[in-house]
Amino acid sequence: KKYYKMCGITLNELEVKKLNAYTEGWIGALYLLMMNYHREGSFKTAENIYKLLEEAIYKPFSEEIKQFLLGISMFDSFTLDQARYMWPKDNVKEILAEIVNKNALVKYDLQSKTYQFHNIFTKFLRDEFENNSYEYKQQVLVQTADWYLKEGDYLAAMNGYFIAKDFHGLLFTIETDKGHSIHNEQKEDFINYFESCPQTIKNSH
C-alpha cells in the first residue's frame, strides 16, 4: 500500500487484499500491474506479468528444464520423490537446483520437504502446458493421476483420470477405494463421472 502511495496510487483495502493475494508480494508483479494501471486505469489485465515470466524466467531455461517444469506443473507443490516419478531421467536433483537457484518462483520448504511454485508461475506453466499436443497432455495427466493412486489419494486420482478422460483408470480407482473416500461433498462429481463414462467401459468394470 505504501509502495503504491509513493508512486501516486491510493489503494483501497479491497485492492490491497486482491493485489497481495495475486502477487504474494512479488515486486516484479506489483510493478507491472502498476504500470498497467497507469495505462488502463484498472488492475484487470495481467498479461504483462506472464510476458515478463516468459522473457525473464522461462525462456532462458534449457528445453530439458522446460519439459521438466511442464511435466510437474499439475502439482501445486511436490516432493523429490514426485519429481523423480514424473521425470524418468537421473538428473532431477541437478534440474531442481538450477530452477531454485535461478528464480524466486520455486522455493524449497525445509520443514515440509516440498518444492513450491509461486501461484503466478503455476498459472503460467499450466497455460504453456495447454499449448502441447493432446497425446503429451494425456500422458502427463495420467501419470499425475497414477502418482495419486499409488499414494492412496483416491479423490485426487479420480479427478486426474477424469480430466484425462481415462475412464478405465477412473473406475479402477473407484473399485480400489471401495467407496471410502466418497462423501456427500463428492456427490455431484461422482454422478458426473458415471454420466460421462462410456457405457462400454462401465460394462467392462
Side-chain angles (χ1 to χ4, degrees):
K1 187 174 183 178
K2 290 178 182 177
Y3 172 50
Y4 272 65
K5 182 70 173 176
M6 289 170 63
C7 299
I9 299 173
T10 301
L11 300 174
N12 60 44
E13 289 305 316
L14 180 59
E15 288 171 332
V16 171
K17 288 179 180 178
K18 284 184 176 180
L19 283 171
N20 188 56
Y22 186 71
T23 65
E24 295 180 6
W26 182 38
I27 191 66
L30 286 167
Y31 173 76
L32 286 171
L33 285 169
M34 183 193 300
M35 294 300 98
N36 195 67
Y37 181 87
H38 279 307
R39 284 193 300 271
E40 300 189 10
S42 74
F43 296 110
K44 293 178 182 177
T45 304
E47 62 183 12
N48 287 332
I49 294 176
Y50 300 109
K51 192 67 177 175
L52 173 70
L53 280 175
E54 183 178 17
E55 296 295 331
I57 295 173
Y58 187 68
K59 276 188 177 179
F61 281 133
S62 67
E63 288 303 314
E64 183 177 52
I65 290 180
K66 289 175 187 174
Q67 286 301 305
F68 171 84
L69 286 168
L70 293 180
I72 202 76
S73 64
M74 294 301 104
F75 298 109
D76 293 326
S77 63
F78 57 92
T79 63
L80 182 59
D81 285 343
Q82 280 172 282
R84 284 174 170 153
Y85 187 85
M86 298 299 292
W87 185 255
K89 300 180 183 179
D90 59 2
N91 61 343
V92 170
K93 278 192 172 182
E94 291 79 6
I95 286 177
L96 286 169
E98 183 170 351
I99 292 170
V100 172
N101 290 336
K102 284 192 174 179
N103 76 87
L105 301 183
V106 184
K107 294 182 179 180
Y108 182 69
D109 185 86
L110 280 171
Q111 188 171 1
S112 63
K113 295 183 178 179
T114 59
Y115 294 87
Q116 299 175 347
F117 287 126
H118 190 290
N119 62 4
I120 293 176
F121 200 33
T122 299
K123 173 71 165 58
F124 171 81
L125 290 174
R126 290 178 183 173
D127 286 347
E128 286 292 310
F129 177 81
E130 289 300 321
N131 294 328
N132 284 270
S133 68
Y134 176 80
E135 290 75 18
Y136 172 77
K137 290 188 287 187
Q138 284 290 102
Q139 180 258 315
V140 171
L141 289 169
V142 169
Q143 196 174 353
T144 302
D146 287 346
W147 166 266
Y148 285 126
L149 177 61
K150 183 175 80 72
E151 293 299 299
D153 190 344
Y154 296 116
L155 289 178
M158 290 175 205
N159 186 60
Y161 288 125
F162 179 69
I163 292 171
K165 292 183 170 48
D166 180 351
F167 289 102
H168 281 296
L170 170 62
L171 294 187
F172 176 78
T173 303
I174 292 171
E175 293 163 3
T176 304
D177 180 44
K178 296 181 172 62
H180 293 303
S181 300
I182 303 296
H183 302 288
N184 194 52
E185 306 90 82
Q186 289 82 40
K187 177 183 174 182
E188 294 304 320
D189 289 335
F190 200 61
I191 291 171
N192 193 25
Y193 294 159
F194 276 88
E195 288 182 343
S196 303
C197 181
Q199 187 62 46
T200 52
I201 295 179
K202 284 190 277 194
N203 291 346
S204 70
H205 286 264

